[in-house]
Amino acid sequence: MLTAESLTPYLSALADLFFPQRCVGCERRASDLLCLGCFEALPRVGRPVCARCGAPTAFETKACDTCKGVDFGFESARAPLRYEGVGEEIVHSLKYRGYTRVVGRLAAPLMAAVLDRGERFDAVVPVPLHRSRLRRRGFNQAELLARGVAAAINAPVSDTLHVVRKTRDQVELSAAERRANVEGAYAVRGVARGRVLLVDDVFTTGATTSSCAATLLRAGADEVHAISLCRTC
Ligand SMILES: [Zn+2]
Ligand SMILES: [Zn+2]
């Protein structure tokens, strides 16, 4: 006899056929990486942003109040999403669940879209992971994002940057402590050249990005621009 219970496995198999995966944002079955609700709930940074640090601002500005006196190694930083809600879920799905499909389908196109149209880069460089972290995780999420962005803007990836000194987890540290923590932590193999696009998953105070950018400049890069999938403010 057909009952609701006896049909459940068939309905579930049918759902698998039409909705083969779960939404990265809410884990409900979806026909794509994000359900429509989560797509609409993407915490977009929007415009205008500070031309320098990429923070959302009320008006177009070359340097906002927060970054005016700060000495960054990079020329500009951009991110399409805020690190909250669905934005945070996307980073977690990649970083902790190894869900690499989010890069090509979602993260890289979002990131490429916040770069100025027609902007050319000589190299796309991922923020490196220390080898012990790399061993534990098995991959560097920044490198996967860098490959996705490089493909989207048709530029070469360069894994020239590496970690020479292990740093503490930045989460508990103040802005000044973060800068001291990452000072001299990176080095370049060989030389860097031209305009470099530095890629990371999350931009917080800019300490890591800044230290990486300064290292690239010392190694010969002309200028460094930074892009991350999310930013914390
Ligand atoms: Zn969803
Ligand atoms: Zn700013």
Side-chain angles (χ1 to χ4, degrees), residues 50 52-55 63-64 66-67:
C50 165
R52 196 164 173 249
C53 75
C64 68
T66 340
C67 78

Side-chain angles (χ1 to χ4, degrees), residues 23 25-27 34-35 38:
C23 165
C26 66
E27 303 222 315
L34 280 182
C35 69
C38 287

Side-chain angles (χ1 to χ4, degrees), residues 145-190:
L145 291 169
R147 291 192 186 285
V149 172
I153 64 168
N154 199 16
V157 179
S158 165
D159 57 358
T160 176
L161 204 58
H162 63 280
V163 183
V164 287
R165 177 173 60 72
K166 199 172 178 188
T167 55
R168 287 164 60 199
D169 194 345
Q170 302 264 69
V171 174
E172 306 275 297
L173 307 181
S174 71
E177 287 170 332
R178 281 172 186 242
R179 273 194 291 280
N181 185 36
V182 292
E183 174 83 50
Y186 303 96
V188 164
R189 281 193 196 95

Side-chain angles (χ1 to χ4, degrees), residues 111-170:
M111 291 164 84
V114 292
L115 291 172
D116 288 332
R117 210 176 280 269
E119 227 182 333
R120 307 288 304 172
F121 292 98
D122 298 296
V124 180
V125 176
V127 168
L129 272 188
H130 188 267
R131 57 181 181 279
S132 65
R133 281 206 188 122
L134 188 61
R135 212 177 302 125
R136 211 173 323 134
R137 194 170 296 156
F139 62 92
N140 174 6
Q141 70 281 3
E143 190 190 326
L144 297 176
L145 291 169
R147 291 192 186 285
V149 172
I153 64 168
N154 199 16
V157 179
S158 165
D159 57 358
T160 176
L161 204 58
H162 63 280
V163 183
V164 287
R165 177 173 60 72
K166 199 172 178 188
T167 55
R168 287 164 60 199
D169 194 345
Q170 302 264 69

Side-chain angles (χ1 to χ4, degrees), residues 120-125 155-161 187-198 212-225:
R120 307 288 304 172
F121 292 98
D122 298 296
V124 180
V125 176
V157 179
S158 165
D159 57 358
T160 176
L161 204 58
V188 164
R189 281 193 196 95
V191 289
R193 237 178 267 112
R195 299 184 86 228
V196 175
L197 183 63
L198 184 64
C212 287
T215 307
L216 286 161
L217 290 174
R218 277 197 301 273
D222 292 329
E223 53 184 76
V224 179
H225 297 263

Side-chain angles (χ1 to χ4, degrees), residues 20-80:
Q21 57 195 335
R22 291 185 182 274
C23 165
V24 166
C26 66
E27 303 222 315
R28 282 195 279 264
R29 284 184 194 283
S31 58
D32 213 323
L33 285 179
L34 280 182
C35 69
L36 186 60
C38 287
F39 180 76
E40 283 172 350
L42 279 173
R44 295 176 191 265
V45 170
R47 280 170 191 271
V49 295
C50 165
R52 196 164 173 249
C53 75
T57 49
F59 306 99
E60 300 274 344
T61 174
K62 286 207 161 62
C64 68
D65 289 341
T66 340
C67 78
K68 218 164 247 169
V70 186
D71 187 18
F72 292 129
F74 52 84
E75 299 285 317
S76 73
R78 292 289 179 274

